[in-house]
Amino acid sequence: MPALRLTFGFFIVLCWSGAHAHPGKVNTEGCHTHRKTSEYHCHEDRIKAKVEPVVPPSETAQPTAQVQASMESKELLKLDYEGFTLWIDCKERAAIRFRYTAQRDNGNVKRYDHFELGPGSPAACQQFSSQAYGNGYDRGHQVPANHLDDSVNAIHQSNYMANILPQTSQMNRGAWLLTEEIIECYRDIDDLLVLGGIIWGQDTNNDIFASSHGVRTPDYFYKVIVRGTGADERAIAWVVPNSTEATKRNLDHFLVSIDELEKLTGDQFPVADYAKHDKPATSWLIPYGCNKS
């Protein structure tokens, strides 16, 4: 994997573990996820600060499910959609973090083909357009629609441009797609905690959508999958370059340990210490007979 020479001073450090440990810390809403049961729940007596929505939910927005929006910090807008959460850097008009739990596949809702800006966040935090990027770049999902296929509403929300960034077609349909297929197969074996985000990098030559869409093009996308609990907890992580080399065949080249990813991003991930040092020799194999639809 190409060497990464990045500056992360402007990032707000998000401690994933603070939202997922139990017992222990809770987020500002007094909530966290029980790591043993993967149940997300709240403690009213432990709410740190009452956060009012930044934008009132639109009464006429379709689909009708409410999008919860709150300021995680002075620079990050947290958007809670159905089944997934995004953290938006409003200065960049882009989601820089995402999180969701992938559970047993009990749905087969058809993918929604229309892209839109979507309700729930200020215009100043959104891209200018929902039109296709072009120039060899797809409208790439951070959280894939296929992992939300038990809900028409969640499928719809996954196509909001808040969840979309420019990805080379080779990456979007190659290495990144393979990570999604791995999740699709293994979520029928274990509940999976999926965390990810972007790394802007220093290549400005690919920032060709600043005028049309208001966003830069990330140089890398990363993803972490956590399965199991206690002594059986396992994790795998990739940092995938947003380039034509990011094909399915090359996915194993992009494997990193959780330790390496934490040093690279400045974030802490809710993975047992003993599992943070391991980097699998290969990506998790697709089980025989897995239905990836």
Side-chain angles (χ1 to χ4, degrees):
M1 183 178 68
L4 307 183
R5 298 185 297 275
L6 308 174
T7 300
F8 289 98
F10 65 93
F11 277 117
I12 298 297
V13 176
L14 297 177
C15 293
W16 298 103
S17 56
H20 291 277
H22 190 285
K25 297 180 180 179
V26 295
N27 58 23
T28 56
E29 299 161 343
C31 306
H32 58 182
T33 296
H34 195 304
R35 289 292 295 117
K36 292 185 178 180
T37 65
S38 296
E39 177 188 2
Y40 184 79
H41 59 278
C42 302
H43 299 263
E44 293 185 1
D45 60 334
R46 299 176 68 187
I47 296 177
K48 295 182 179 179
K50 196 68 175 178
V51 182
E52 297 297 329
V54 175
V55 179
S58 172
E59 296 180 357
T60 60
Q62 293 295 328
T64 57
Q66 178 174 318
V67 177
Q68 296 293 334
S70 61
M71 293 306 296
E72 187 84 351
S73 72
K74 291 182 179 180
E75 299 188 19
L76 297 183
L77 175 70
K78 179 185 176 186
L79 293 178
D80 284 316
Y81 292 107
E82 183 177 341
F84 65 102
T85 299
L86 303 175
W87 283 267
I88 308 294
D89 184 337
C90 289
K91 293 186 301 183
E92 298 285 356
R93 300 179 181 270
I96 63 170
R97 305 284 188 273
F98 65 85
R99 181 189 73 212
Y100 66 101
T101 299
Q103 298 176 309
R104 180 176 293 277
D105 187 1
N106 293 316
N108 196 25
V109 174
K110 184 179 179 181
R111 179 167 173 167
Y112 188 69
D113 293 329
H114 181 65
F115 292 82
E116 58 187 278
L117 296 181
S121 62
C125 298
Q126 299 200 39
Q127 296 185 43
F128 299 154
S129 171
S130 61
Q131 296 300 309
Y133 296 116
N135 295 287
Y137 287 86
D138 292 344
R139 285 175 292 199
H141 289 75
Q142 298 208 60
V143 178
N146 198 39
H147 297 169
L148 305 167
D149 61 359
D150 61 343
S151 167
V152 172
N153 185 64
I155 285 269
H156 189 135
Q157 292 180 336
S158 73
N159 271 24
Y160 290 166
M161 292 300 289
N163 188 42
I164 304 297
L165 280 170
Q167 294 181 343
T168 64
S169 59
Q170 292 84 355
M171 180 231 178
N172 182 44
R173 309 173 199 185
W176 197 246
L177 174 60
L178 183 51
T179 66
E180 295 171 355
E181 292 175 343
I182 290 171
I183 294 169
E184 183 65 29
C185 293
Y186 281 83
R187 70 171 174 157
D188 282 336
I189 302 172
D190 283 320
D191 284 356
L192 307 175
L193 175 62
V194 184
L195 310 167
I198 64 170
I199 297 172
W200 291 115
Q202 297 179 336
D203 182 5
T204 59
N205 293 325
N206 58 6
D207 294 333
I208 56 179
F209 307 110
S211 296
S212 61
H213 290 75
V215 293
R216 292 191 287 157
T217 301
D219 290 351
Y220 301 87
F221 289 75
Y222 68 84
K223 184 175 292 182
V224 177
I225 309 172
V226 186
R227 61 180 294 208
T229 59
D232 295 325
E233 185 173 282
R234 297 175 61 192
I236 191 169
W238 302 270
V239 176
V240 182
N242 192 8
S243 71
T244 58
E245 285 75 35
T247 62
K248 284 187 175 182
R249 184 188 299 271
N250 289 333
L251 179 61
D252 290 350
H253 297 168
F254 313 135
L255 284 163
V256 295
S257 69
I258 303 300
D259 274 342
E260 292 172 324
L261 185 59
E262 289 183 339
K263 292 175 182 177
L264 183 62
T265 64
D267 290 346
Q268 298 293 314
F269 297 94
V271 176
D273 287 341
Y274 72 84
K276 287 187 176 184
H277 314 300
D278 297 332
K279 181 174 74 173
T282 62
S283 300
W284 294 348
L285 299 178
I286 299 292
Y288 177 77
C290 169
N291 182 355
K292 294 181 285 187
S293 64

